[in-house]
Amino acid sequence: VGASEADVPVQSIRLHESWYSGNCYKVRLLLTQLGLPFERVEVDLKDGETRRPAFRALAPLGRVPVVVLDGGTALAESNAIMCYFGEGTPLVPSDRLERAQMMQWLFWEQYSHEPYVAVVRAWVRYFGVPPGKEAELEERRERGVRALDTMEQHLVRRSFFVGERYSLADIALYAYTHVAHEGGFDLSGHAAVERWMGRVRVQPGHIPIDAR
Ligand SMILES: N[C@@H](CCC(=O)N[C@@H](CS)C(=O)NCC(=O)O)C(=O)O
């Protein structure tokens, strides 16, 4: 996938992000694979920067990632940002049903995967478990395992999530699955997920989450 295939009508892209956030990594990975240059602006989540008026003025939804296009319009929500840049490239299926199946996995990731796999990782590895939320941590962990089980079942007979080729669905799900172990998830019983992650990692232009 090269820049010529990503026919995006913008001159400049500024990505407000956090380097360890999987949601931000999705955007960074996609832009890199599309060959689109972008500027990175690190937002200090631990310091509460997303709650400050200056950030809220830029990003009313109050979270990273946010991209600012041509120094003006801001766009939030990792999967929406990916759709914006991915449109018209091989990373978004041209077949209508497959495109809807890709969306199915993007919505599923946000509702049934990220709130568990990503939040457990964030609490365990980066922020600490909020006081009184120990039981909630375990509940989220259980639901995270269920999400990983769902992925495993889907991938047992498939190479990628949709249409047997790499798409935005794979980027969205890879982002937090490949660092799930940082939250204490054990993927050893998820061989199909492990094999799929191997396939994602060898896609042209792949970068790791901690690439600076
Ligand atoms: N649904 C959003 C979630 C974004 C999100 O949760 N961002 C986190 C970092 S991963 C954040 O900005 N947290 C700081 C805060 O909520 O104040 C997306 O996919 O972009």
Side-chain angles (χ1 to χ4, degrees):
V1 185
S4 55
E5 286 167 293
D7 189 15
V8 177
V10 289
Q11 303 290 317
S12 74
I13 303 165
R14 201 168 67 235
L15 171 62
H16 296 258
E17 60 159 1
S18 158
W19 71 267
Y20 51 85
S21 152
N23 286 319
C24 299
Y25 171 54
K26 293 174 193 173
V27 178
R28 221 159 50 236
L29 176 54
L30 175 68
L31 291 175
T32 303
Q33 291 188 308
L34 293 178
L36 293 169
F38 59 100
E39 182 195 340
R40 297 175 65 170
V41 181
E42 182 70 17
V43 174
D44 191 344
L45 300 182
K46 287 187 183 162
D47 190 41
E49 201 177 329
T50 49
R51 291 189 286 279
R52 301 229 172 88
F55 184 80
R56 292 290 165 134
L58 171 87
L61 300 188
R63 288 182 163 163
V64 290
V66 176
V67 288
V68 178
L69 309 173
D70 290 338
T73 308
L75 181 63
E77 287 295 323
S78 56
N79 292 350
I81 298 169
M82 286 209 298
C83 287
Y84 177 71
F85 290 115
E87 190 172 304
T89 78
L91 297 183
V92 173
S94 51
D95 176 79
R96 182 176 179 157
L97 179 59
E98 287 184 355
R99 202 160 56 248
Q101 288 170 330
M102 181 198 79
M103 300 302 289
Q104 165 195 288
W105 286 110
L106 297 186
F107 289 120
W108 182 81
E109 185 265 346
Q110 284 288 290
Y111 195 73
S112 302
H113 183 287
E114 195 260 17
Y116 310 116
V117 177
V119 170
V120 167
R121 166 183 178 256
W123 286 357
V124 167
R125 173 78 178 239
Y126 294 100
F127 298 103
V129 181
K133 297 224 174 188
E134 289 75 13
E136 186 179 326
L137 173 74
E138 291 319 311
E139 257 168 58
R140 283 184 190 256
R141 188 184 296 287
E142 213 179 290
R143 296 185 75 163
V145 171
R146 265 192 261 158
L148 296 169
D149 291 345
T150 300
M151 291 174 67
E152 178 72 14
Q153 282 154 23
H154 186 73
L155 289 168
V156 164
R157 272 174 225 86
R158 291 177 181 88
S159 306
F160 294 103
F161 271 87
V162 178
E164 287 303 274
R165 65 187 295 178
Y166 183 61
S167 76
L168 300 187
D170 300 289
I171 297 183
L173 284 161
Y174 180 80
Y176 283 109
T177 302
H178 88 290
V179 287
H181 61 276
E182 294 180 1
F185 292 98
D186 177 10
L187 280 172
S188 58
H190 295 78
V193 172
E194 293 272 22
R195 285 196 300 273
W196 162 78
M197 289 198 295
R199 287 189 285 272
V200 170
R201 267 193 289 273
V202 297
Q203 293 303 306
H206 182 84
I207 50 162
I209 193 167
D210 58 358
R212 306 305 271 170

